[in-house]
Amino acid sequence: MAGLTEPVEVEITGSAGYFVATMIHGAKVHIQGNAGWFPADNMTEGEVIIEGSAGDGVGQGIYGGTVVVKKDVGSRTGEIMKNGTIIVGGNSGFMSGLFMMGGRIIVLGDIAKDAGESIIRGAIYVGGEIESLGKNAKVEELEDDEREELKELLSTYGFQLEEDRYQKFRKIVPRSKRPFYGKETEEG
Amino acid sequence: MQEFTIDAGEKDPREVNRTLKEKAAEYQRIIIENPNAAHYRWRGSPNL
C-alpha cells in the first residue's frame, strides 16, 4: 500500500512516539495521550487530534488537513508548512512557524521567542503573549470576521473560550513576501 | 461502522503499520491498543 491513504478513523488508546501519523492522506487519527516529535509531518489531507502534549515540529511541512494538540507543544511548530491548520491549546515553543509558507497556526496560549522566523506566507494567531518575533515577522490585529472564523473553528474542536480571550488574539504575518531577495527595502 | 483492533504491545512498528494499511482498506475504524509511545508508527510511508 502506497501510504495510509484510506479515509479511515484510527484511535490510539495511549501515547505515540516520534513521527506519528506522518504523510497521511485522508485518515482521521485520534491520540488519547501525548505524541513525540513531528506528529502529522507532511500530511496532505486528514485530521490528527492529540489530547495531550506533543514534542517539536508539530505539523512540520503539512500541505493540508488539520492538526490539533490540546495542550503544550515544543519548538518549530508548523515549520515549512504549506497549507492546512495547526491548533495548539496551550503554549508553543521556540521558532514556531519557521519558514512557514502558508496555512495557519493557532496558539491559544503563549508563543516563545523568534515566533514566525523567516515566515513567507500564512498567519500565526496567538491568544497569549508573544515573547519575541523572528526575522520577517510582524504583528497585526484581527478583523472581526477573522475572530468569528476562529470561534467557529475552535468550538468545532471543543475549545470553549470566553469572549474577552478572543479579543486578545493577534496574528503574526510576514513583513515581506520576498524576504530573501530584498536589498534595503522590505519588498526587495 | 466496522472496527478492527490491533494490539501493538508485542509488535514492532513495521508489523503494526503493515497490518494497519491492510485493514484500512477493509474497515472504517481501527483501534490501536497498547501503543507504548513507540516511534514511527501509523505513518503513511510505503517503506515502513
Side-chain angles (χ1 to χ4, degrees):
Chain A
M1 179 184 291
L4 184 55
T5 57
E6 306 289 342
V8 64
E9 288 184 24
V10 180
E11 181 77 22
I12 299 171
T13 64
S15 292
Y18 303 157
F19 296 98
V20 66
T22 65
M23 294 180 275
I24 62 170
H25 182 77
K28 291 186 174 183
V29 180
H30 182 224
I31 300 162
Q32 294 179 6
N34 304 312
W37 294 346
F38 305 105
D41 173 44
N42 274 288
M43 172 173 71
T44 47
E45 191 177 303
E47 186 178 87
V48 177
I49 298 177
I50 299 164
E51 292 294 336
S53 300
D56 296 344
V58 171
Q60 175 182 256
I62 62 171
Y63 293 82
T66 303
V67 187
V68 180
V69 182
K70 296 290 180 71
K71 296 181 180 174
D72 297 334
V73 299
S75 63
R76 305 193 310 280
T77 306
E79 178 179 6
I80 62 167
M81 65 187 284
K82 289 84 175 176
N83 208 338
T85 300
I86 299 171
I87 302 172
V88 177
N91 303 324
S92 187
F94 177 61
M95 282 194 181
S96 294
L98 174 64
F99 284 110
M100 187 175 173
M101 298 180 209
R104 58 188 170 178
I105 300 172
I106 303 164
V107 179
L108 275 61
D110 301 335
I111 195 165
K113 63 182 177 181
D114 291 344
E117 171 63 40
S118 299
I119 182 173
I120 300 166
R121 299 284 193 282
I124 306 170
Y125 297 86
V126 184
E129 298 298 320
I130 300 169
E131 188 174 344
S132 72
L133 294 172
K135 289 189 293 293
N136 202 47
K138 66 178 180 180
V139 176
E140 286 185 353
E141 298 298 320
L142 269 60
E143 303 291 337
D144 288 341
D145 59 343
E146 287 179 293
R147 281 200 182 80
E148 289 306 314
E149 197 177 338
L150 277 184
K151 283 180 193 175
E152 190 175 335
L153 179 66
L154 292 174
S155 63
T156 301
Y157 291 101
F159 294 103
Q160 301 298 330
L161 276 63
E162 293 170 359
E163 181 59 33
D164 64 332
R165 286 192 64 188
Y166 283 106
Q167 296 302 321
K168 291 177 182 170
F169 268 94
R170 292 170 293 164
K171 66 178 177 181
I172 299 169
V173 295
R175 295 170 64 87
S176 166
K177 292 179 178 177
R178 292 170 55 85
F180 308 115
Y181 307 101
K183 294 178 181 173
E184 296 301 320
T185 64
E186 283 188 0
E187 290 299 324
Chain B
M1 182 180 285
Q2 283 190 303
E3 287 186 357
F4 184 84
T5 300
I6 300 170
D7 186 348
E10 300 298 322
K11 294 181 173 67
D12 70 31
R14 283 173 188 263
E15 188 179 351
V16 175
N17 283 325
R18 197 177 301 120
T19 306
L20 173 62
K21 287 165 191 170
E22 285 171 7
K23 300 302 178 186
E26 192 178 345
Y27 293 86
Q28 286 88 47
R29 180 176 160 84
I30 295 175
I31 299 165
I32 299 176
E33 294 181 340
N34 301 308
N36 298 331
H39 304 318
Y40 299 96
R41 275 191 180 154
W42 316 295
R43 59 186 289 177
S45 167
N47 299 318
L48 289 171

